[in-house]
Amino acid sequence: MTKLSFPRPDGVAPGNGYSHVVTGPGQWVAIAGQVALDADGTIVGVGDPAAQARQVFANLDACLTAAGATFADVVKLNFFVTDIAYLPAIRAARDAYVDTTNPPASTAVQVVALFSPDALLEVEAYAVVN
C-alpha cells in the first residue's frame, strides 16, 4: 500500500490529468527517459505516437519493477514530445498504468528532436518506494 499523499494547493487551478504536489517517505528512484525501444533496441511504432507511448510505458513499468517499485510509487513524470499534439495518445497509454484519481505530478515539453528522428516521445519517471 502506498503512503504517498496528494495535497491540493489552495489558489492553484486543478491539474488536467496530473497532480501539482506528491509527497511521501521512502527510497528515491529515478528512471532515465524511456523511448519506444523494444528489448532488441528497435523502435516500436515508427510514426505512431500511440504505439510508441504504449512501448514507453511498458519500458517504464519494467524499470520500476527492477527497482522494486510500481506506478503507484511514481511521484513525477516528465514528457518530452516532438509534437504536443501527441499528448492525447500519450495520456491514454499513461492512464492504463497510473491511478487517474491521484496521478503523479507531470511536466510536458515539446522538443525539436530526440536521439533518433523516429522517436516521437521520451518519458522519465521519479518514484518513492516505501
Side-chain angles (χ1 to χ4, degrees):
M1 181 57 100
T2 185
K3 294 183 181 183
L4 298 179
S5 64
F6 301 83
R8 306 291 195 251
D10 290 333
V12 177
N16 180 13
Y18 65 92
S19 297
H20 286 289
V21 181
V22 182
T23 65
Q27 178 182 353
W28 180 254
V29 176
I31 306 296
Q34 296 297 302
V35 295
L37 293 176
D38 65 15
D40 296 322
T42 302
I43 291 190
V44 172
V46 173
D48 183 347
Q52 287 201 15
R54 288 189 299 273
Q55 182 65 48
V56 164
F57 276 89
N59 291 352
L60 288 168
D61 190 43
C63 291
L64 288 164
T65 298
T70 69
F71 271 94
D73 301 309
V74 172
V75 296
K76 180 79 162 75
L77 292 170
N78 293 323
F79 298 88
F80 305 94
V81 298
T82 58
D83 188 335
I84 209 76
Y86 301 152
L87 285 180
I90 295 166
R91 286 183 186 128
R94 176 205 61 193
D95 290 354
Y97 287 89
V98 304
D99 175 359
T100 58
T101 60
N102 287 308
S106 296
T107 299
V109 179
Q110 182 169 316
V111 297
V112 173
L114 295 168
F115 86 102
S116 164
D118 290 330
L120 304 178
L121 66 136
E122 183 168 338
V123 182
E124 60 186 19
Y126 299 96
V128 177
V129 181
N130 297 311

